[in-house]
């Protein structure tokens, strides 16, 4: 009940973020139900149905990532002085955050079930002249238990991930310094070399898999197709594994690369704006750099897929409606997570802005520093994303 009261009394922007999580959960639930419908309509193709179900893990992971980011920035579950005296300690707040996340994602799952049943014609007559009937196995009895189990995946995983991310942490001796506090010295993230190594390993795996596919007479003949919902098929498993390693490397190197951008800004012709922009980049390296790396990984995967399947040597291939839905979910969730992290970073800089005003700093100093930070990140991450995407698609374009 407390979680429901907090949800009703929240700021409109907070409600919008929760509705975004609910919409993403609805999309994932619909994709899972479509994978089950494919299994019902094609009982003789269990491997194809399983692969469609596995592909749903990508938008599911993006949705869980967004749900955790929204739960972390929820002001209703943020620890504040005096809450422990009324029984709202860190453990209770974590439980409320997990419950709120489960409510948002559960609402989305129920909406997905209603839309799915409506398109199948189970609630009313078959809509759209039966256009979605074959895709959703209209006329085939729907296993209620399996459908509810699939719909419960997103709420269960999201709430568990939120509880794990927001769990109270015991402060060890020597770790009293808060790295998110503006006055604390920012520590350098350690994921940059591991990210570079994963990108190199992923590209090497793709080159090897592409060479094996060419030697066997083509990618389609070298391995069974891995089908996305729709028409996205014909990719060797080795190439997709290489893509996954490359994307993980980009996501892992984001905080370290952001931290290095801050160092460079402070080291090359430093002035007030550059020093402030570099300092803020170093402080926000973990908060903003990680979702920025994930967005770059998604963008690189999208550019590589477009080069391969739309303009590549294999000829254009149509993207089905479910493929488009899954891609839209991933792009929307990762972008919304980055925007949420940027908003959280702006909120935590209130003390810094107040200190600057007390020292007589110009009013536009923070704004100019923000423009400089955005320009540096764009100048570094955009070419990196394009280069990785081109190299990722190259093995199958020969």
């Amino acid at each position: 009940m407390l979680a429901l009261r907090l949800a009703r009394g929240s700021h409109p922007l907070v409600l919008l973020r929760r509705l975004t999580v609910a919409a993403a959960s609805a999309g994932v639930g619909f994709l899972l139900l479509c994978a089950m419908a494919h299994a019902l309509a094609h009982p003789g193709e269990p491997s194809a149905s399983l692969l469609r179900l596995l592909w749903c893990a990508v938008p599911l992971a993006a949705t869980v990532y967004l749900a955790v980011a929204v739960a972390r920035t929820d002001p209703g579950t943020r620890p504040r002085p005096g809450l422990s005296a009324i029984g709202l300690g860190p453990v209770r707040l974590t439980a409320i955050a997990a419950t709120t996340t489960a409510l948002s994602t559960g609402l989305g799952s129920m909406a997905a079930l209603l839309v799915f049943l409506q398109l199948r014609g189970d609630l009313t007559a078959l809509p759209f002249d039966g256009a979605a009937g074959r895709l959703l196995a209209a006329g085939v009895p729907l296993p209620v238990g399996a459908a509810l189990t699939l719909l419960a995946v997103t709420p269960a995983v999201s709430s568990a991930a939120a509880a794990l991310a927001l769990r109270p942490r015991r402060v060890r001796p020597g770790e009293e310094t808060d790295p998110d506090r503006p006055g604390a010295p920012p520590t350098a993230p350690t994921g940059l070399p591991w990210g570079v190594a994963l990108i190199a390993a992923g590209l090497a795996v793709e080159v090897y898999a592409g060479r094996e596919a060419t030697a066997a007479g083509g990618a389609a003949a070298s391995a069974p197709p891995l089908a996305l919902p729709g028409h996205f098929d014909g990719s060797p498993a080795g190439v997709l594994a290489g893509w996954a390693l490359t994307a993980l490397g980009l996501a892992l190197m984001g905080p370290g690369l952001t931290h290095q951008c801050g160092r460079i800004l402070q080291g090359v012709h430093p002035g007030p704006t550059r020093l402030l922009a570099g300092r803020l980049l170093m402080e926000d390296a973990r908060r903003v750099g990680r979702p920025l790396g994930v967005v770059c990984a998604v963008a690189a995967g999208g550019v590589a897929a477009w080069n391969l399947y739309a303009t590549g040597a294999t000829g254009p291939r149509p993207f089905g409606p479910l493929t488009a839905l899954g891609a839209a979910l991933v792009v929307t969730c990762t972008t919304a997570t980055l925007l949420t992290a940027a908003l959280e970073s702006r909120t935590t800089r209130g003390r810094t802005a107040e200190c600057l005003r007390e020292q007589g700093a110009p009013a536009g100093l923070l704004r100019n520093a923000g423009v400089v930070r955005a320009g540096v990140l764009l100048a570094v991450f955009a070419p990196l994303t394009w280069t990785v995407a081109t190299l990722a698609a190259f093995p199958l374009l020969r």
Side-chain angles (χ1 to χ4, degrees):
M1 292 300 296
L2 180 58
L4 287 174
R5 291 180 179 178
L6 290 175
R8 290 178 55 190
S10 299
H11 190 274
L13 185 59
V14 177
L15 291 177
L16 178 61
R17 291 201 293 258
R18 290 173 180 167
L19 287 177
T20 304
V21 173
S25 176
V28 174
F30 186 79
L31 289 177
L32 291 171
L33 292 176
C34 289
M36 183 188 65
H38 183 274
L40 295 175
H42 304 83
E45 302 177 10
S47 59
S49 301
L50 178 60
L51 289 173
R52 285 172 177 262
L53 185 62
L54 291 178
W55 271 113
C56 296
V58 180
L60 172 62
T63 300
V64 172
Y65 191 48
L66 173 61
V68 172
V70 170
R72 183 182 291 115
T73 58
D74 193 336
T77 58
R78 187 175 301 166
R80 290 184 296 273
L83 290 182
S84 298
I86 59 174
L88 293 178
V91 176
R92 183 74 179 276
L93 290 177
T94 300
I96 293 175
T99 304
T100 304
T101 303
L103 289 174
S104 301
T105 51
L107 178 63
S109 295
M110 291 300 102
L113 179 60
L114 291 177
V115 173
F116 181 78
L117 294 177
Q118 175 68 25
L119 292 178
R120 271 174 49 95
D122 294 336
L123 300 180
T124 59
L126 198 63
F128 306 115
D129 296 329
R134 184 176 62 87
L135 184 63
L136 304 181
V140 180
L142 187 67
V144 179
L148 294 180
T149 300
L150 289 176
L151 291 175
V153 170
T154 305
V157 176
S158 299
S159 59
L164 184 63
L166 300 178
R167 70 188 187 279
R169 291 177 174 82
R170 180 177 301 175
V171 180
R172 299 177 181 178
E175 293 183 354
E176 293 82 1
T177 299
D178 184 6
D180 292 332
R181 186 166 51 88
T187 57
T190 59
L192 183 58
W194 292 104
V196 174
L198 283 177
I199 291 176
L203 293 176
V205 170
E206 292 174 40
V207 171
Y208 178 78
R211 184 177 303 172
E212 290 295 321
T214 302
S222 64
L226 294 178
L228 269 173
H231 302 285
F232 193 94
D233 52 16
S235 300
V239 174
L240 294 177
W243 280 8
L245 285 176
T246 303
L248 181 60
L250 275 174
L252 192 61
M253 72 183 297
L257 194 56
T258 303
H259 190 273
Q260 292 302 320
C261 289
R263 274 191 168 183
I264 294 173
L265 270 180
Q266 295 181 92
V268 179
H269 301 291
T273 303
R274 285 175 176 264
L275 286 174
L276 181 59
R279 174 73 177 191
L280 292 178
L281 274 181
M282 295 174 69
E283 289 182 350
D284 293 340
R286 289 183 175 86
R287 183 186 294 112
V288 177
R290 187 173 293 109
L292 181 60
V294 173
V295 169
C296 290
V298 172
V303 173
W306 178 263
N307 290 336
L308 178 59
Y309 291 104
T311 61
T314 57
R317 301 187 181 187
F319 291 85
L322 298 183
T323 302
L325 175 59
L329 281 174
V330 173
V331 172
T332 302
C333 289
T334 52
T335 305
T337 303
L338 177 59
L339 294 177
T340 301
L343 183 61
E344 180 188 10
S345 175
R346 182 180 179 181
T347 303
T348 58
R349 287 199 300 270
R351 191 186 310 173
T352 302
E354 183 179 354
C355 292
L356 289 175
R357 285 193 297 267
E358 291 176 355
Q359 297 297 324
L365 181 60
L366 273 176
R367 181 174 61 254
N368 295 335
V371 173
V372 171
R373 287 185 302 142
V376 169
L377 292 177
L378 183 63
V380 171
F381 280 91
L384 174 64
T385 302
W386 183 264
T387 302
V388 171
T390 303
L391 294 176
F394 177 74
L396 292 184
L397 289 177
R398 295 178 299 170

